[in-house]
């Protein structure tokens, strides 16, 4: 069994107003060194596959076809063996 | 088409649709046409002449607005109907579903204000030469409400250029006097885009709700022009 940890975020070129609002809040707490806050989604998949390569292929496919909207979002993921 | 023949509106109902009855009411009681609901699990659209994907919050907007609804069984038939030239209009969440289904280009971002915006807005008719706007003149200003949190239309530069080149931008947000500027943009949409159609001109997506503005007692009857245009185009076919 493998577990994918997926992060979906808005493309870098797209303004993330939610991230901006949180950035302002962070600054008002006094953490002035913090900049460029981006907000995304974390998605975990457990994949019953014989190999890590197969789990990678499935994760990539699912991301492109459903979990990320490629018009406006990017995704990254890591895969670890579990159980 | 005889005196008694009526246009049949098919209104798709997803779990979480909430403007389906408004659309039904306008089609049947305001426009005096036929209308029926089509549950999203149906595998046939029956004899519908026009398909409406109504507003609402299909599947609770999980993942992204419209992202899950596009997998509903009925959407295969909607895609086939659209491919064969059938008239399809997606309103608000229906527009978002059309984008996710790839029947229209682009995507919806969260409103730039981060707020859910529910108010009357003004739309400029950019293209009156469509089956959705034939009852309008170029430059007409329609008063129709919006109610959404994700209506900030986005597409890459090449897609926007293609939309412009093929006159696919049907409605843009404007002021009451018709000026298209940032002040009249309620959600941050590129080019103030409020509604687009596909290249073939038979699929329209729009964020504003014409079904909520088709009786003057509701504050505006301008939405009727869109229903009337569709009916005329089908009667004349």
């Amino acid at each position: 069994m493998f577990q994918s940890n997926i992060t979906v975020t808005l493309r870098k070129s797209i303004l993330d107003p939610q991230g901006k609002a949180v950035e302002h809040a962070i600054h008002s707490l006094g953490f002035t060194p913090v900049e460029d806050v981006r907000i995304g989604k974390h998605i975990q998949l457990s994949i019953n596959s014989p190999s890590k390569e197969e789990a990678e292929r499935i994760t990539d496919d699912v991301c492109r076809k459903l979990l990320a909207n490629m018009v406006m979002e990017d995704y990254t993921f890591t895969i670890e063996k579990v159980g | 088409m005889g005196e008694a023949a009526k246009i049949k509106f098919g209104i798709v109902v997803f779990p979480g649709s909430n403007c389906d009855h408004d659309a039904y009411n306008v089609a049947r009681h305001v426009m005096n046409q036929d209308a029926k609901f089509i549950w999203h699990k149906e595998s046939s659209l029956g004899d519908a002449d026009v398909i409406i994907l109504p507003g609402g919050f299909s599947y609770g907007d999980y993942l992204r607005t419209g992202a899950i609804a596009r997998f509903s069984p009925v959407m295969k038939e909607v895609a086939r109907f659209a491919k064969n030239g059938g008239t399809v209009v997606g309103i608000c969440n229906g527009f978002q579903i059309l984008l996710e289904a790839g029947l229209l280009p682009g995507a919806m971002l969260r409103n730039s204000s981060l707020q859910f915006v529910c108010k009357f807005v003004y739309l400029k008719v950019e293209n009156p030469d469509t089956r959705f706007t034939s009852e309008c003149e170029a430059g007409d200003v329609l008063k129709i409400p919006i109610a959404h949190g994700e209506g900030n239309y986005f597409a890459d530069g090449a897609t926007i250029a293609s939309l412009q080149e093929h006159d696919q931008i049907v409605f843009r947000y404007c002021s009451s006097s018709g000026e298209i500027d940032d002040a009249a943009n309620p959600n941050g949409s590129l080019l103030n885009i409020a509604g687009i159609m596909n290249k073939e001109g038979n699929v329209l997506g729009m964020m504003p709700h014409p079904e909520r503005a088709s009786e003057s007692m509701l504050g505006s009857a301008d939405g009727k022009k869109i229903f009337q245009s569709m009916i005329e185009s089908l009667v004349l076919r």
Side-chain angles (χ1 to χ4, degrees), chain A residues 2-22:
Chain A
F2 294 88
Q3 184 172 294
S4 313
N5 286 293
I6 303 162
T7 303
V8 178
T9 48
L10 281 175
R11 296 215 148 155
K12 278 279 175 212
S13 57
I14 295 176
L15 177 70
D16 176 0
Q18 203 181 350
K20 276 276 171 255
V22 171

Side-chain angles (χ1 to χ4, degrees), chain B residues 204-224:
Chain B
L204 171 77
M206 62 187 297
M207 289 312 292
H209 288 271
E211 81 286 6
R212 294 189 190 179
S214 290
E215 291 162 277
S216 50
M217 98 191 254
L218 297 179
S220 169
D222 290 352
K224 243 175 107 167

